Amino acid sequence: MAVRAVRGAVQMERDEAGHMDEQVGALLTAILERNGLTADDLISIWFTATPDLHSDFPAAAARKLGIVDVPLICAQELDIAGAMPRIVRILAHIESERPRADINHVYLGAAAALRKDIAQ
């Protein structure tokens, strides 16, 4: 089994814990579904959030989805002038037989503009 990385991002409409749970949960669910993964395939997940998000930890959404025995960590993105606001990014390390070219990176809603080259 190979180790692969899957990227994803979503833009929050507002900085509220419940909204973050919904949006980050939807992003994680889409990453798992589009790559044929289960929680058992996850090695670890890095979450980053732009500095304007502070209502909750993005990783809390993963725990609410039942991802409880996977190492998770949250960090803050660099505060770059002109960067898209209210973004949560994910970098998930997984075990998969898929070749790198077949990994589906997921950028939901307006966050698709961040990586037009790989967003579905």
Side-chain angles (χ1 to χ4, degrees), residues 35-80:
N35 288 287
L37 301 169
T38 68
D40 288 338
D41 299 315
L42 297 170
I43 296 169
S44 65
I45 306 174
W46 277 85
F47 296 87
T48 64
T50 50
D52 51 4
L53 294 174
H54 42 76
S55 62
D56 202 0
F57 295 100
R63 298 295 185 219
K64 290 176 182 167
L65 286 177
I67 301 172
V68 295
D69 61 350
V70 174
L72 309 175
I73 193 164
C74 296
Q76 189 176 79
E77 286 285 335
L78 297 173
D79 192 8
I80 304 297

Side-chain angles (χ1 to χ4, degrees), residues 12 14-24 55-56 64:
M12 305 292 115
R14 59 194 174 280
D15 184 24
E16 293 176 3
H19 181 62
M20 184 174 292
D21 283 345
E22 290 171 8
Q23 295 298 304
V24 175
S55 62
D56 202 0
K64 290 176 182 167

